[in-house]
Amino acid sequence: MSRSGEQHRSPVASHHALERIWETKPGWGRLAAVNHNTVGKRFMLTAIVFFAIGGILAMLIRTQLASSKSAFMDAEQYAQVFTMHGTIMMFLFAIPFFEGLAIYLLPKLLGTRDLAFPRMSAYGYWCYLFGGSMLIVALLGGVAPASGWFMYTPLSSSVYSPGINSDVWLLGITFVEISALSAAIEIMVTILKLRAPGMSLDRMPIFAWYMLVVATMMVIGFPPLILGSMLLEMERAFDLPFFDPTRGGDPLLWQHLFWLFGHPEVYIIFLPAAGAISTILPVFAGIPLVGYRIIIAALVSMAFLSFGLWVHHMYTVGIPHVGLSFFSAASALVAVPTAIQIFAWLATISHGTPRFSVPMLHIFGFFFVFVIGGLTGVMLAMVPFDWQAHDTHFVVAHLHYVLVGGFVFPMLAGIYYWLPHISGRRPVQHLSHAAFWMVFIGFNVTFFMMHLTGLRGMPRRVFEYPPEAGWEVLNFISSMGSFVMAMGFALIALDFILIFRFGRPFRRNPWRAGTLEWAMPTPPPSYNFASLPIVDRRADLLEPDRLGPLLASGQGYLGFTRNGRMELLGVEIVSGRPEQVVILPHRTYLPLVAALTTAAFFLSILFKLYWLAPLALAATIIVFLGWTRDTALNHDTGLLAIGHGQALPSHIQAERPPSWWAMVFAIIADITAYVSLLFGSLFLWISAPNWPPQQGLEVGSAVPFAVLAVALGTIVLAGRMASASGRCRAGWLYLAVLAHAIAAAILVWLALFVAPDPRTHAAAASAFVVLLYAALHHGIGTVFAGYGIWQIRKGFVSDKRNLDLRLGEIWHTYSALLGAISALFPVLLAGLISGGSP
Amino acid sequence: MLAGSILLFLLVVGLFLATVFVPRFGRSISPRNWIIGGGIFLPLPILLALTFYALWQGEYLLRGGGGFPLQSPLRVEAHGTMWQWRFSYPDIRGATPTSGTLHIPTGRTVEIRVSSSDVIHSFWVPRLAGKIDAIPGHTNYLRLRADRPGRYGGVCSEYCGTGHAGMRFVVQAHTQEDYLAALAEEGGR
């Protein structure tokens, strides 16, 4: 044993030592799992279960529509079934499935041992499981949401949906979104910071590029929906009229917020699947992916474009034609980066020596189905065509061609490709082929007919249709096709089970791939690599067969254990040069506990037990703070050896550790929600009926504003002084707690007692929420400052170990900025109102 | 658009199968040319032409189908409620509102003012025009024209609750001569 604690061992002993540190314990210990192998597999398996439930609902729909004389379901049941089918497939299947795949694969592809925040991934999983279960329980109880998966208000408002149904959607989905957002931040940080040494950005495996773009899109795309859901829930629960046209609200605000999320969502679902194709297809072509750089450029441009075309879901709401034509052109343009990827794949095959296997069969399914979906997409992007086809079964056909073609087939290819990695066994071919053809033929029979049904005038979401409408034969064919498809999916499920039971074991790298996930034993050990690889070329051109044994024998970096800690390397973002040793926290039940208290928070709102909600929230925050103790240090450490004669500081003493980046990305997500709120208010001023409000926005005297200004200034100063080196850190933080409390109190006071009653008009409601939004951030600010004081008392802080104070400083500055803008916003709105409507 | 789509579909799927199963297919084309040719030069002209054609066609439809209208359009109002459509005729003196049936004259552009006072509905007569949403708090306009007399089926095309499927209506187009008589007859009922 060397002086600094690292223990070098033989490969087998090293395996056992690492496994003891990283593994998930059996029995009850499973509930404490934080390892990405376990959490990733759980995400995928749970998503498959939800896919099966959504599929059963689809079968109910097709049974109902098979004949015009079907008395199988009534209108209310049918509404719950189609709403839940869409909701489950989008929110509980597609997103969590690719998250699970990314969680499982990314550390392996990047050559590291785990994700940046394993406890966060575990917490995200429990949030997903509990939020999704809330929806399923509501479905079984007959109180599932019933306003369609995009929940258009006023139909989903408390007036027209008085039951608990819509609340289940708004709260359950927001609960699940927390997990999506935390996964997105974690994926971004992991890709940017936790790669193998030498893996510069331009050597990253292409799948990591896809996921980096997708995660960025999620961080910006999900907050508008979370905000919209919160506003609608506040309207339902507290009568704040954001969407009520009689009191200055506008149903179109919901549509804008929903599709501002909802359109990028389509690409958020498609791109991970495309990333799987870009990874798998070159392996079967036998050559590296062609056009690596232009594909990255296409991805980034697609991400930008995807935020500029949400209005193509809203061509019929009465927006002027010139405005629509802009969105029409942008929607058409998005076909170009898609075509670039498709032709890059074709070029890759044509220049290689292609082999055909089950994954390639599903990639063929992708080409066939997705191209049709893309072409009908261009048709629907054309405004006059959409005026006819919008909200008919043509759109139903289109979206299934895009999502099944662009997600399900590539993901099936991905499962067949990576199942040997998960199971350690190779596929048994025959059943796989039969199952594919049943799904493929069944799918096309079902949904191709729907194009025609739609063009013949059948609207979406009707539970019955008159026999004389002439839709019966087409609907019957669709229903028959759907049953064939369902049997196909059942066969695929059986096939997966058979692979686990009877698949042939293999030595290593069955597909002869060039990526790092195959440079490890399969099924993989919990720690992935006994030592971390050094990457000297593009990371899809490596030799896993040669690398694997070298890494297993400890010849890479960190090929030892040290004090039982979970260690991996953090790199400089662009160059991939190692810059810090990242120490991860161990397995724990805390994520489960935090998710349970979070569930208590959502359930207390759902059942209108509002006194319980703050308690649950406080409990959640306390559990979160408890997480951090695992890696806290009460003494400075020198450089830590990483092997090959190099030594690096630990992340706690590094300038830009993963948690610093996570803080930055979390604040970007928060800003997106806040800006959506501000623009939403301005949108109401421009577009909503019944403006200006009868009662002006009274904003009070100058005195509280002066006090607030002093408090905000103090917060910024105290935050900075506390993290700068020197004495009196705790003193500055006490001052920060006080200033945050004063700022929050003034903002709450303005919202509750000075501004007009928020129930009277949307302008007042906007001001109310903007003020409370900032007050909440100051409340969190007191927690940050108080936590800093506790850390100083415990001796966890020094000039070198001031990370948590620096994170706090970011929050203090940001919340002070929010406080200032929020206090001024009602003044601005009042000025706009008195200036007359535009 | 349909023919173009079929061609493009056959092209891409054909290329996929050819590159996989025909040895050395397409290898003489450099990867760069594959991507630039198929990814940029193939779609861009098609998309440009299509977008401009759609813009022109949209303007044509917004005018209500004909050339520039010489006569002012006949104004009618369609008001959606859960779950029926009520129609009124401000331009026709003494015409009583109707439920479930909209009477229009043939050969004249009709401008429909679409509104709602409860949830969002959407007014759609597939054989006469595209659809337009009826959104509480907003009024939207749709122009259409029937050249031949007859009954044209209409549906609500935005999900609006359990009565959505039954929220059908009929547009009855009468010749100019019969039109006023038909409206008067409705009023007499």
Side-chain angles (χ1 to χ4, degrees), chain A residues 75 79 160 250 255 290 316-318 321 325 332 350-352 368 375 379 384-385 387-388 390-392 461 466 689, chain B residues 1 5 9 25 27 29 31 34 47 54-55 59 62 118 120 124 126 129 131 133 137-138 140 157-159 162 164 168:
Chain A
Y160 301 102
D250 194 340
Q255 299 196 8
V290 158
T316 63
V317 303
H321 191 223
S325 62
S350 78
H351 283 260
F368 188 99
L375 291 167
M379 292 183 195
F385 183 87
W387 282 337
Q388 271 299 330
H390 180 68
D391 269 332
T392 67
R461 300 174 170 177
Chain B
M1 204 152 66
S5 295
F9 167 71
F25 178 87
R27 197 166 296 185
I29 306 167
W34 265 102
L47 293 171
L55 183 63
E59 287 295 316
L62 281 178
D118 44 37
I120 299 173
W124 188 32
K131 55 183 72 70
D133 292 352
H138 293 266
N140 282 326
S157 60
E158 181 67 62
Y159 183 70
T162 49
H164 170 60
R168 287 185 281 267

Side-chain angles (χ1 to χ4, degrees), chain A residues 50 210 220 276 385 488 503 525 568-569 604 689 753 825:
Chain A
F50 280 122
Y210 275 91
I220 298 168
F385 183 87
L568 35 80
L569 287 180
S604 64
F753 302 110
F825 185 73

Side-chain angles (χ1 to χ4, degrees), chain A residues 37-160:
Chain A
N37 281 300
T38 314
V39 175
K41 283 188 280 188
R42 281 181 187 173
F43 259 105
M44 286 190 275
L45 191 63
T46 312
I48 290 172
V49 172
F50 280 122
F51 178 74
I53 298 174
I56 290 167
L57 296 177
M59 290 301 99
L60 298 180
I61 294 174
R62 285 321 315 170
T63 308
Q64 173 79 7
L65 294 182
S67 142
S68 66
K69 288 179 272 308
S70 175
F72 179 58
M73 283 184 278
D74 63 25
E76 170 62 27
Q77 288 168 331
Y78 187 75
Q80 293 193 15
V81 166
F82 74 69
T83 301
M84 285 297 289
H85 168 71
T87 304
I88 289 176
M89 290 306 196
M90 296 300 260
F91 295 102
L92 305 183
F93 163 63
I95 297 173
F97 187 85
F98 80 68
E99 280 169 8
L101 186 68
I103 288 170
Y104 181 84
L105 276 183
L106 276 175
K108 302 179 176 66
L109 283 166
L110 296 171
T112 188
R113 285 171 174 163
D114 208 327
L115 294 169
F117 311 106
R119 293 181 172 191
M120 210 62 205
S121 15
Y123 173 69
Y125 172 74
W126 296 118
C127 285
Y128 161 52
L129 182 68
F130 297 155
S133 304
M134 263 169 73
L135 283 150
I136 302 301
V137 169
L139 179 69
L140 294 175
V143 288
S147 315
W149 79 272
F150 33 80
M151 290 294 287
Y152 274 6
T153 182
L155 184 63
S156 59
S157 69
S158 54
V159 180
Y160 301 102

Side-chain angles (χ1 to χ4, degrees), chain A residues 723-790:
Chain A
S723 66
S725 73
R727 288 173 298 136
C728 300
R729 290 178 194 278
W732 285 109
L733 286 177
Y734 279 116
L735 191 61
V737 171
L738 183 70
H740 271 301
I742 292 174
I746 291 177
L747 290 163
V748 170
W749 177 74
L750 284 173
L752 290 182
F753 302 110
V754 180
D757 185 348
R759 285 167 298 189
T760 53
H761 194 272
S766 303
F768 180 78
V769 173
V770 168
L771 289 168
L772 287 190
Y773 195 97
L776 177 69
H777 283 70
H778 287 296
I780 299 172
T782 60
V783 176
F784 266 103
Y787 175 66
I789 294 169
W790 177 80

Side-chain angles (χ1 to χ4, degrees), chain A residues 60 98 237 265 345 394 397 416 418 466 597 616 668 679 697 699 760 814 829:
Chain A
L60 298 180
F98 80 68
E265 155 92 345
W345 294 327
F394 188 91
Y416 275 110
W418 280 300
T597 56
I668 289 173
F679 275 95
L697 273 183
V699 278
T760 53
Y814 169 63
L829 203 57

Side-chain angles (χ1 to χ4, degrees), chain B:
Chain B
M1 204 152 66
L2 178 65
S5 295
I6 294 173
L7 272 179
L8 286 171
F9 167 71
L10 292 177
L11 176 72
V12 176
V13 174
L15 284 176
F16 176 78
L17 293 175
T19 49
V20 174
F21 292 110
V22 180
R24 311 189 58 79
F25 178 87
R27 197 166 296 185
S28 55
I29 306 167
S30 75
R32 186 190 162 82
N33 287 348
W34 265 102
I35 295 172
I36 305 243
I40 296 172
F41 287 125
L42 176 67
L44 258 189
I46 301 176
L47 293 171
L48 271 176
L50 198 58
T51 306
F52 280 104
Y53 176 71
L55 183 63
W56 180 78
Q57 186 70 24
E59 287 295 316
Y60 172 82
L61 289 174
L62 281 178
R63 289 197 305 267
F68 282 98
L70 296 176
Q71 53 183 157
S72 60
L74 175 76
R75 290 178 302 163
V76 300
E77 294 179 356
H79 187 73
T81 51
M82 295 162 102
W83 290 283
Q84 65 168 344
W85 292 96
R86 287 183 60 76
F87 304 102
S88 51
Y89 308 86
D91 278 357
I92 312 284
R93 191 190 303 266
T96 45
T98 52
S99 277
T101 306
L102 170 64
H103 297 276
I104 59 168
T106 54
R108 182 168 176 194
T109 303
V110 178
E111 183 175 271
I112 302 166
R113 182 179 185 276
V114 181
S115 61
S116 160
S117 52
D118 44 37
V119 302
I120 299 173
H121 305 279
S122 186
F123 178 94
W124 188 32
V125 189
R127 285 161 64 203
L128 294 181
K131 55 183 72 70
I132 191 86
D133 292 352
I135 300 170
H138 293 266
T139 42
N140 282 326
Y141 295 89
L142 177 76
R143 288 183 179 182
L144 53 79
R145 197 166 75 159
D147 287 322
R148 251 170 272 150
R151 287 165 63 84
Y152 299 88
V155 291
C156 172
S157 60
E158 181 67 62
Y159 183 70
C160 58
T162 49
H164 170 60
M167 198 171 156
R168 287 185 281 267
F169 60 98
V170 169
V171 174
Q172 184 80 49
H174 309 272
T175 58
Q176 298 271 10
E177 304 82 67
D178 297 344
Y179 181 55
L180 291 178
L183 269 182
E185 188 187 334
E186 279 277 351
R189 273 186 202 164

Side-chain angles (χ1 to χ4, degrees), chain A residues 282-425:
Chain A
V283 173
F284 288 95
I287 59 160
L289 179 66
V290 158
Y292 176 85
R293 279 165 189 271
I294 195 169
I295 285 183
I296 293 169
L299 293 182
V300 174
S301 60
M302 217 171 186
F304 273 102
L305 278 174
S306 76
F307 283 95
L309 30 91
W310 78 93
V311 169
H312 74 213
H313 297 266
M314 300 169 64
Y315 282 166
T316 63
V317 303
I319 295 170
H321 191 223
V322 180
L324 295 185
S325 62
F326 167 78
F327 289 98
S328 172
S331 309
L333 204 57
V334 85
V336 172
T338 318
I340 286 176
Q341 288 177 72
I342 287 188
F343 279 86
W345 294 327
L346 290 175
T348 307
I349 311 174
S350 78
H351 283 260
T353 42
R355 290 174 283 156
F356 213 77
S357 186
V358 180
M360 276 303 267
L361 199 57
H362 286 276
I363 287 178
F364 162 75
F366 155 79
F367 267 90
F368 188 99
V369 173
F370 185 74
V371 169
I372 294 181
L375 291 167
T376 55
V378 172
M379 292 183 195
L380 287 168
M382 299 300 126
V383 177
F385 183 87
D386 184 76
W387 282 337
Q388 271 299 330
H390 180 68
D391 269 332
T392 67
H393 272 69
F394 188 91
V395 172
V396 179
H398 159 72
L399 75 92
H400 283 90
Y401 266 85
V402 169
L403 291 173
V404 175
F407 187 76
V408 177
F409 279 117
M411 280 299 159
L412 285 171
I415 297 176
Y416 275 110
Y417 179 81
W418 280 300
L419 208 52
H421 193 283
I422 296 171
S423 67
R425 291 165 187 275

